[in-house]
Amino acid sequence: MVETTFHGITLATEPGAVFTPRPATEQLVDAALGAIGAGPLRIADVGTGTGAIAVAIAAARPLVEVWASDRSADAVRVARLNAERNGVGARVHVVQGHLLDPLPGAFDLIVANLPYLPESVHRDEYDDEPPEAVYAPGDGLGYYRTLLGACEAGKLVIPGGKVVLQLHREVLEADCWQLKALRKKLDELRRRAA
Ligand SMILES: C[S@@+](CC[C@H](N)C(=O)[O-])C[C@H]1O[C@@H](n2cnc3c(N)ncnc32)[C@H](O)[C@@H]1O
C-alpha cells in the first residue's frame, strides 16, 4: 500500500492491483463540482478504482451521497478504506459489480473514468496498472456506450441530471438531454485517437 495525493486529499493505493489516479482526473472532479450546487444530491461514480473521484467529491460537498461501483474486489476494498480515512465513509457507498448493475436507482450526476483503450493497443505508461483497469474489449468504448444507453433509457440519471466522463484526458460533460451528442463526441474522439 502506498499513498498518493489527489485533488488535495491523501489516498491509499496498491500499484499493480488498483489503478493509481492521474492528475488529469482532477479536472473531472472540478467539472463535476462545477456541475452541481451545494445541496443534497445522489451521485454515482462508475469504475471507482481507489475511490478518488467519489471521495474527492464527497470531501468537497458535505451534503452529497455517492455510490461508487467497481468490479474489482481490490478496488472496492481500497475505495472503502479511502472513504473512511477521509471522513466520508458514511456518505460514500462502495459496491462491487459490473458498471451500473450494483447501483441503486437513478442519480442526479453520473461520473466515470472507465477503461477506454482497445485491447489491441499497448501503452507503456500503464504497464504497472491492472490491465482490466485500462483496456476494454472491442474499440474500447463499449463500457461508456452501455453507461450512456442506460442514462438515455432513464435508468441511471434522473430527468435534469448530468453526466461527466473522461476519455483520453479530456473531460466530457452533458445534461441528460444531450446524451446523443455526447455519444457522437465519444465516437469522434475515438476515431481521432485511432
Ligand atoms: C481507468 S481506472 C479509473 C479508476 C478511477 N475512476 C480513477 O479515475 O482513478 C478504471 C476502473 O474501472 C474499473 N472497471 C473496469 N471494468 C469495469 C466494469 N465492467 N464494471 C465496473 N468497473 C469496472 C476498473 O477495475 C478500474 O478500477
Side-chain angles (χ1 to χ4, degrees):
M1 186 95 57
V2 296
E3 286 188 343
T4 188
T5 302
F6 177 84
H7 208 270
I9 58 175
T10 301
L11 296 171
T13 188
E14 283 184 11
V18 182
F19 188 86
T20 300
R22 301 298 202 267
T25 306
E26 293 175 328
Q27 289 165 34
L28 186 156
V29 173
D30 288 336
L33 293 174
I36 59 175
L41 290 175
R42 282 164 50 89
I43 297 177
D45 174 21
V46 186
T48 197
T50 56
I53 301 169
V55 173
I57 292 175
R61 290 286 192 277
L63 296 182
V64 305
E65 202 130 346
V66 188
W67 276 261
S69 76
D70 206 292
R71 70 176 178 186
S72 151
D74 286 330
V76 167
R77 177 175 47 78
V78 171
R80 283 183 180 148
L81 176 73
N82 282 322
E84 287 299 329
R85 282 188 176 182
N86 284 281
V88 295
R91 291 185 293 115
V92 175
H93 314 284
V94 186
V95 285
Q96 188 176 3
H98 175 63
L99 298 179
L100 54 122
D101 290 354
L103 298 174
F107 296 86
D108 300 282
L109 173 70
I110 312 297
V111 292
N113 177 24
L114 281 161
Y116 50 72
L117 289 177
E119 287 166 340
S120 54
V121 307
H122 174 83
R123 294 275 172 84
D124 295 348
E125 65 187 293
Y126 297 119
D127 278 356
D128 293 336
E129 303 294 353
E132 60 281 4
V134 174
Y135 301 100
D139 72 351
L141 288 187
Y143 294 147
Y144 279 145
R145 289 196 191 98
T146 301
L147 202 65
L148 291 180
C151 290
E152 282 169 334
K155 285 187 195 143
L156 196 55
V157 67
I158 61 157
K162 294 171 194 283
V163 178
V164 183
L165 307 176
Q166 183 176 331
L167 184 75
H168 295 301
R169 298 194 179 91
E170 277 201 46
V171 175
L172 306 174
E173 286 182 63
D175 288 320
C176 61
W177 53 271
Q178 299 170 314
L179 293 171
K180 279 203 170 66
L182 180 58
R183 264 177 190 263
K184 271 193 172 173
K185 175 90 178 156
L186 283 174
D187 286 329
E188 195 184 303
L189 282 171
R190 160 61 65 240
R191 274 196 299 277
R192 262 199 265 152

